[in-house]
Amino acid sequence: MFNWLGLLMPITYIGVLVGSLATFSLLYRKRKAAKAASLEPWFEPHIPRNIYLSLLHLEPAPGQKPTLVPDSVLRAALLRRATEDIHRVLAIRSAKAALGVLVQRGSVGDDLWQRFQRAEQEIEDELRDVVTEANALHPNWGASIFQTANEMASNIIIRKRVDEIQAKAKAETEWWEKKRATIRSEFMKELNEGPEGTTASASTTHKQSAPAVTAERGGSDEDTVFVEGGGPAAAGARGSAKKKKGKK
């Protein structure tokens, strides 16, 4: 006869162990989900998505007939939603590498990384939802909606950059006008002071050279040796004349 009482103890132990693990896993997941829900979202509220959903589920006022929103309006709203998704995808891609390095170094906490992962999962779900809505509005539009949205996002970025440059243009123009006026005034001041400085330097040089010339002249007068007229040749001629007179 098979002894069932001997197996009762191990089966009870295994059942209690599995039940404890299942309860712990369920409580851990609920706590993790509650903690993730309490975290601050990575992005601001998705306003274009809210507008699109409001237009899609527009309810008439009491006592009025329901009004259908034109498809062109829904397409424009969905395109704006896709454009905002493109901006968020670019932000996620640019922040992922740097944030991963900071998490590995321990420079940021796990809460920030969980927020980022939650935002990444939300944007993936958002992209799938946009493709589904685009295909519902127009067949096969989901394959090309993000290409159009990418062009619109690039245009918006360029326009923002141009607006920033134009906003700075006035201040930089005023700075350049002041700088040019300062340079012009300094240049004109140098031109006005140039002839006066040259005349003053010339007069100073003349005054300094005058005593030197006088000293040279004085030294030459003192060192001059006066020689009687005729010289040795004249003396010889006079001697020969005296000899001729004596012979006569």
Side-chain angles (χ1 to χ4, degrees):
M1 184 177 178
F2 189 74
N3 188 7
W4 292 98
L5 296 176
L7 294 175
L8 183 60
M9 194 70 174
I11 292 173
T12 305
Y13 176 75
I14 293 173
V16 171
L17 182 61
V18 171
S20 301
L21 291 176
T23 304
F24 175 76
S25 177
L26 182 62
L27 293 176
Y28 177 75
R29 289 179 180 178
K30 286 184 177 180
R31 184 177 298 176
K32 187 176 181 180
K35 185 178 180 181
S38 63
L39 292 175
E40 184 180 358
W42 188 267
F43 294 108
E44 297 179 355
H46 203 313
I47 297 177
R49 179 183 60 189
N50 298 337
I51 293 174
Y52 174 76
L53 294 176
S54 299
L55 293 174
L56 188 63
H57 303 288
L58 186 63
E59 296 181 357
Q64 294 181 359
K65 295 181 179 181
T67 55
L68 295 177
V69 180
D71 291 342
S72 59
V73 177
L74 291 176
R75 290 180 185 179
L78 185 60
L79 198 57
R80 293 291 299 175
R81 178 181 175 183
T83 304
E84 179 63 25
D85 292 338
I86 291 294
H87 288 300
R88 298 195 175 198
V89 168
L90 294 176
I92 288 289
R93 289 180 180 177
S94 61
K96 187 173 184 179
L99 187 59
V101 173
L102 292 176
V103 171
Q104 290 178 358
R105 294 179 179 177
S107 301
V108 296
D110 294 335
D111 294 342
L112 187 63
W113 181 247
Q114 291 178 3
R115 288 175 54 197
F116 181 79
Q117 288 180 337
R118 179 184 174 186
E120 194 173 12
Q121 184 64 36
E122 288 178 354
I123 197 64
E124 291 178 359
D125 297 338
E126 171 67 16
L127 294 178
R128 285 193 292 267
D129 192 10
V130 169
V131 171
T132 304
E133 293 290 337
N135 291 328
L137 289 175
H138 190 274
N140 299 325
W141 190 31
S144 61
I145 184 173
F146 285 108
Q147 182 178 0
T148 308
N150 189 19
E151 294 177 357
M152 292 178 63
S154 302
N155 188 19
I156 290 173
I157 293 173
I158 293 173
R159 288 176 60 186
K160 287 182 178 179
R161 184 59 180 167
V162 170
D163 292 340
E164 291 177 358
I165 294 174
Q166 290 180 353
K168 294 180 181 178
K170 184 177 180 181
E172 292 183 355
T173 302
E174 293 178 355
W175 175 84
W176 172 244
E177 291 294 336
K178 292 180 181 179
K179 184 68 175 178
R180 186 170 63 178
T182 304
I183 295 173
R184 182 181 297 175
S185 62
E186 292 178 356
F187 183 70
M188 295 301 295
K189 184 178 180 181
E190 290 179 358
L191 288 178
N192 294 331
E193 291 180 354
E196 298 178 359
T198 305
T199 306
S201 61
S203 60
T204 305
T205 305
H206 179 71
K207 291 179 181 179
Q208 291 177 354
S209 60
V213 173
T214 306
E216 290 179 358
R217 290 179 179 177
S220 60
D221 292 339
E222 293 177 356
D223 296 338
T224 302
V225 177
F226 293 98
V227 180
E228 295 179 356
R238 287 195 297 268
S240 59
K242 290 179 179 180
K243 288 180 180 181
K244 288 179 181 180
K245 290 180 179 180
K247 289 179 179 181
K248 288 180 180 181

